[in-house]
Amino acid sequence: MITVAYPIIGKKEKQLIKEVLDSRMLASGKYVVQFEQSFAKYSGAKFSIANANGTTALHTALLMCKIKPGDKVITTPFSFIATSNSILFCGAKPIFVDIDPKTFNINPVELEKTLKKERSIKAVLIVHLYGLPCDMDAILKLKKKYKFKLIEDSCQAHGAKFKNRKVGSFGDAAAFSFYATKNMMTAEGGITLTNDVKADKYGRQIINHGRKDHLTHTVLGYNYRLTNLAAAIGIAQLEQLEGWIEKRIENAQKYNEAFKELDFLQTPYVPKNCRHVFHQYTIRVPLSEREKIIKYLAKNGIGSGIYYDTVLYKQPFYKQLGYKAGLCKEAEKAASEVLSLPVHPSLSKADTDKIINVVKGYKR
Ligand SMILES: *Cc1c(COP(=O)(O)O)cnc(C)c1O
């Protein structure tokens, strides 16, 4: 079976893990510091705080932006549940704004409509979904006009660029995930980025029980720290990330070229000024065909995935909070049509050739 994701573990990862184990510095340590510094440098942000996972990185990012109980935070309904859950962790209220059906990302026109209508929006939490950056020109213009805090959920977009600038460097804070299946991983792990020295200081307290110095706890914090072991994997992975991204882009371009004549699917759209890093290669197919296509692919040894088959506000827990179906029409339509194919860098030429031939052989 060709799987949708395949974590790569090489010599360097094993060597660094062994170093950490031998050093007996398993929790905090120099690998965490080195990983923080190299990831911040790679992403073009001034400060970074390593985290237990992408979800804690998001929660920390929102707290660094001083999101408080009762605050309203706009986000997209077409994402992983951690996005909107992190707003709820702060006691704040997620306000869902519809997506652009071409990019799957939050639609800046709809965003402005909501900013005009809903007064006192504290923050906007955008998601660079599948590895494609949001329309940052439009969003930064709105930030200037409506003065909200901007947080980037970059959990799927390590190394993605908008006009040659990496995601995670635009907002007041940003969160990345290093979960096992992301474009780079530390098994579980995450990082929060910011360019604000005060936010960085506060975030460091948040992830470490609110500790100010060895004996003093001045704010409510958590244990959201990354281990030295995980950081060691991250150091090795980051060194290889650019090569892996290039391979993902190459695979995606090969699919785009091969699939462009097919009438039952739509290939991913990439705006000219963006570097899409293809965490997922996501096509759109008619709802009536999707289950059939998934079964057909599986029968031919090809795994696929649906990210995500429903919008966040239609999850049972969110329904319970009072959200109603029909709120974001484009997001709901996308949820019923998206399908992700394997695009990861471990695919051989034989694998991508096979995927192309099988997809092209599909009969409606
Ligand atoms: C993976 C992911 C997260 C959460 O990351 P974890 O490391 O799994 O906690 C948040 N948002 C998005 C969009 C993600 O893809």
Side-chain angles (χ1 to χ4, degrees), residues 53-55 58 79-80 82-83 127 153 155-156 177 179 182 189 308:
N53 55 63
T55 308
L58 272 170
S79 182
F80 183 54
T83 306
V127 181
D153 181 337
C155 288
Q156 303 188 357
S177 164
Y179 180 69
K182 305 285 161 127
Y308 299 89

Side-chain angles (χ1 to χ4, degrees), residues 44-49 61 63-66 143 149-150 168-174 192-204:
K46 285 198 185 123
F47 306 103
S48 72
I49 305 164
L63 292 174
M64 281 157 66
C65 291
K66 306 284 162 144
K143 176 172 162 63
K149 292 280 185 185
L150 178 64
S169 67
F170 291 93
D172 296 287
T192 312
L193 303 186
T194 183
N195 291 315
D196 181 329
V197 63
K198 275 197 194 136
D200 176 63
K201 267 205 170 128
Y202 184 56
R204 292 204 166 274

Side-chain angles (χ1 to χ4, degrees), residues 78-322:
F78 196 49
S79 182
F80 183 54
I81 193 133
T83 306
S84 54
N85 277 359
S86 66
I87 299 170
L88 295 177
F89 296 162
C90 300
K93 182 178 168 25
I95 311 252
F96 294 103
V97 164
D98 210 353
I99 59 164
D100 175 342
K102 269 165 82 181
T103 63
F104 300 111
N105 285 330
I106 198 163
N107 183 336
V109 177
E110 295 302 315
L111 175 57
E112 178 153 30
K113 277 188 204 159
T114 305
L115 286 163
K116 266 189 183 142
K117 201 170 62 195
E118 292 266 353
R119 280 164 311 154
S120 69
I121 293 290
K122 182 74 175 280
V124 177
L125 172 52
I126 58 172
V127 181
H128 307 297
L129 198 72
Y130 305 143
L132 176 67
C134 292
D135 182 348
M136 295 315 300
D137 277 347
I139 289 165
L140 290 176
K141 225 162 115 186
L142 292 175
K143 176 172 162 63
K144 233 181 192 165
K145 190 166 165 192
Y146 295 92
K147 312 234 178 296
F148 50 80
K149 292 280 185 185
L150 178 64
I151 300 129
E152 296 173 75
D153 181 337
S154 308
C155 288
Q156 303 188 357
H158 324 69
K161 290 182 201 168
F162 181 86
K163 287 193 171 167
N164 231 19
R165 180 169 161 194
K166 293 219 177 86
V167 303
S169 67
F170 291 93
D172 296 287
F176 290 77
S177 164
F178 306 117
Y179 180 69
T181 59
K182 305 285 161 127
N183 285 15
M184 62 170 286
M185 64 89 192
T186 62
E188 294 268 13
I191 213 163
T192 312
L193 303 186
T194 183
N195 291 315
D196 181 329
V197 63
K198 275 197 194 136
D200 176 63
K201 267 205 170 128
Y202 184 56
R204 292 204 166 274
Q205 286 191 275
I206 293 299
I207 67 147
N208 197 18
H209 298 294
R211 186 178 281 178
K212 191 173 168 222
D213 55 51
H214 199 59
L215 298 166
T216 329
H217 303 259
T218 54
V219 296
L220 178 65
Y222 305 84
N223 176 359
Y224 281 176
R225 298 179 307 255
L226 186 74
T227 65
N228 218 20
L229 262 180
I233 303 176
I235 290 166
Q237 294 259 311
L238 184 57
E239 284 173 6
Q240 302 163 85
L241 179 63
E242 276 298 304
W244 291 338
I245 291 172
E246 288 306 320
K247 193 76 212 300
R248 283 177 183 271
I249 294 171
E250 203 180 287
N251 290 341
Q253 281 169 347
K254 191 170 160 184
Y255 294 158
N256 286 344
E257 188 57 32
F259 298 160
K260 68 180 176 202
E261 307 290 327
L262 301 180
D263 66 349
F264 65 92
L265 67 78
Q266 211 174 304
T267 55
Y269 168 74
V270 186
K272 281 222 159 48
N273 51 16
C274 286
R275 180 201 209 195
H276 191 323
V277 294
F278 290 100
H279 171 57
Q280 298 295 347
Y281 180 87
T282 303
I283 57 173
R284 279 182 95 125
V285 299
L287 172 61
S288 57
E289 300 288 317
R290 190 165 65 174
E291 276 312 307
K292 248 175 73 190
I293 296 172
I294 292 169
K295 282 200 183 114
Y296 164 80
L297 291 171
K299 203 183 73 195
N300 286 283
I302 298 167
S304 59
I306 299 175
Y307 310 102
Y308 299 89
D309 77 339
T310 183
V311 290
L312 295 173
Y313 57 78
K314 278 165 72 175
Q315 289 289 352
F317 181 68
Y318 282 76
K319 276 196 200 152
Q320 212 176 290
L321 297 176

